[in-house]
Amino acid sequence: WTVARLKAQGIEHIVMLTGDNERTAQAIGREVGVDEVRADLLPEQKVEAVSELRESYDGGVAMVGDGINDAPALATASVGIAMGAAGTDAALETADIALMADDLSRLPYLYELSTAASSVIRQNIWSSLGVKLLLAVGAPFGYVSVLVAIVVGDMGMSLGVTGNAMRLAGVEPAEPPESTDPPESTEST
């Protein structure tokens, strides 16, 4: 479910990097639907793989990991995501984001929330700059009083951008379908 949702959201290529043996990794990879599996990797090989993927994909690379062996690769990725409860201190300290539950099904929600937050930030910056530019041009020519320019430009825009950002509270995680299958393994990072 998680891999399918990430692909539906536009994630181009999903790779499983693991220190597990090839046979086990390939079986898990097939079961969860990843595009590529790289197994029997040492920490430095995971770093090389993440670096290679960063060169191949201009949109950046996110890495999910939970162990001390994942920490260097988490640092190399565009965005490092540590699995909270099971994560080692090294992984948690290195990562940019920590999922507080060991639940990979939260990744599509994280992606959706970060995409929405990025959009809201851009909207807030451009609307704030636009209003301030209009007020800066309008005040000297008498179209707007200086007092109105100050109140609207500062207090009004503060309220506007805060209100716009409040929309992010409406981004709700989708719940995975009920299944009798075993949960996805966090060892496959």
Side-chain angles (χ1 to χ4, degrees):
W1 181 83
T2 299
V3 172
R5 287 263 306 152
L6 289 170
K7 287 182 179 183
Q9 290 174 324
I11 302 296
E12 200 172 317
H13 193 72
I14 299 176
V15 180
M16 182 172 82
L17 306 176
T18 182
D20 292 340
N21 73 56
E22 183 76 29
R23 189 170 161 210
T24 302
Q26 290 295 338
I28 292 170
R30 271 191 308 279
E31 186 176 327
V32 299
V34 297
D35 299 309
E36 181 181 348
V37 175
R38 299 185 191 186
D40 294 318
L41 299 179
L42 297 171
E44 58 272 9
Q45 292 170 314
K46 288 182 182 182
V47 170
E48 290 170 13
V50 170
S51 295
E52 177 187 312
L53 290 166
R54 281 191 75 168
E55 290 175 16
S56 299
Y57 295 96
D58 293 334
V61 171
M63 163 79 181
V64 180
D66 65 354
I68 194 163
N69 293 336
D70 295 325
L74 288 169
T76 304
S78 308
V79 176
I81 305 167
M83 299 299 290
T88 63
D89 289 343
L92 290 169
E93 290 171 9
T94 304
D96 301 300
I97 299 167
L99 294 177
M100 297 317 293
D102 296 329
D103 183 3
L104 289 175
S105 70
R106 304 296 276 182
L107 289 174
Y109 169 65
L110 175 65
Y111 182 77
E112 183 179 356
L113 183 61
S114 65
T115 302
S118 181
S119 175
V120 165
I121 289 167
R122 278 193 293 284
Q123 291 167 13
N124 285 347
I125 289 170
W126 288 112
S127 64
S128 182
L129 289 174
V131 167
K132 289 187 180 265
L133 177 67
L134 288 173
L135 294 171
V137 170
F141 293 110
Y143 296 120
V144 186
S145 74
V146 174
L147 180 62
V148 169
I150 291 170
V151 170
V152 170
D154 285 336
M155 197 167 50
M157 285 313 300
S158 291
L159 292 172
V161 298
T162 301
N164 190 33
M166 292 298 291
R167 294 182 309 122
L168 293 173
V171 178
E172 294 288 329
E175 293 299 321
E178 291 297 320
S179 172
T180 57
D181 296 335
E184 296 177 31
S185 169
T186 58
E187 286 296 313
S188 61
T189 53

